[in-house]
Amino acid sequence: MGVTKSDNFSIEQNQIAEFAKAFAHPARVAIIQHLLETQTCICNDLVKVLPLSQSTISQHLNELKRIGLIKGAIDGPKVCYCIDLDVWERAKGLLRNILESIKGCC
Amino acid sequence: MGVTKSDNFSIEQNQIAEFAKAFAHPARVAIIQHLLETQTCICNDLVKVLPLSQSTISQHLNELKRIGLIKGAIDGPKVCYCIDLDVWERAKGLLRNILESIKGCC
DNA sequence: AACTTTAATCGTATTATTGCGATATATCAA
DNA sequence: TTGATATATCGCAATAATACGATTAAAGTT
């Protein structure tokens, strides 16, 4: 049917998948890296930095906001985005947990 | 146009996105977790364990193989899959690197 | 008030992803 | 040889994701 059958998997599995999705596109990786570098919030410098249109970047930002990894603060006509530390830590924990749970292999 | 514009991003950004994609679906998370648990290779126990059809699971396995995180060894009529340690370590390094590069926030 | 900047959203086109049944193939067991 | 088991692949359908231009809306600026 084409739809991800989320219901059949655990909450944790869905959460991991959701966080991973944030990093599953090079444009979103670039956005996140930029936010990590500038540390302090940025707004639409991204439009100048990334090879994508304003509307596309806005969509990616919205997706990251939906996932929870970033949050935006309105500042006049601008919106300053930054990493949401709490959510980031949860994502880090979940992903680190699965990445480091390897003990050996065949 | 609907296509991810990979060319406009760095190799590293694309690699991170590619590895993240492996985890960006609950079914693949479940498959990976199962492979991590059983440690030794498994084949199509997955069909019995996961709420998905054989063909769908085969597709997910193929996607993971394409990304490189797992490899399959033919054993008679079966195929035993397991984590590819080298690739896994590279994925771990890249993802850990970005996840831990946060210094603070607004 | 007119203009600029910023950003979200709408509409649309295109491609990717997810999923399943059916089928094909290969190996092993009886 | 016949049958069972294990997998991959094909064909199809439906939904999701990516991207852009155009438009809208809000907040400053002149």
Side-chain angles (χ1 to χ4, degrees), chain B:
Chain B
M1 319 234 168
V3 195
T4 295
K5 297 168 80 177
S6 316
D7 294 347
N8 294 314
F9 299 97
S10 74
I11 302 220
E12 198 199 61
Q13 285 164 342
N14 276 292
Q15 253 182 348
I16 291 172
E18 197 73 347
F19 284 135
K21 215 185 284 183
F23 295 93
H25 191 287
R28 288 198 290 272
V29 172
I31 289 175
I32 290 170
Q33 285 177 333
H34 199 275
L35 279 171
L36 286 169
E37 272 176 35
T38 55
Q39 194 168 1
T40 163
C41 306
I42 63 127
C43 6
N44 224 21
D45 313 321
L46 289 169
V47 177
K48 294 165 199 157
V49 172
L50 299 187
L52 293 169
S53 75
Q54 183 267 322
S55 60
T56 301
I57 291 174
S58 187
Q59 279 179 53
H60 280 303
L61 285 169
N62 195 51
E63 177 68 3
L64 290 174
K65 207 165 54 178
R66 187 189 63 75
I67 293 169
L69 275 187
I70 69 172
K71 54 186 176 182
I74 296 173
D75 172 27
K78 313 177 188 178
V79 176
C80 293
Y81 287 100
C82 62
I83 305 287
D84 187 317
L85 259 185
D86 290 341
V87 183
W88 184 269
E89 288 301 321
R90 201 161 73 237
K92 186 159 87 177
L94 280 173
L95 291 173
R96 190 174 44 195
N97 190 47
I98 192 170
L99 282 168
E100 290 181 358
S101 65
I102 192 165
K103 320 149 206 170
C105 197
C106 52

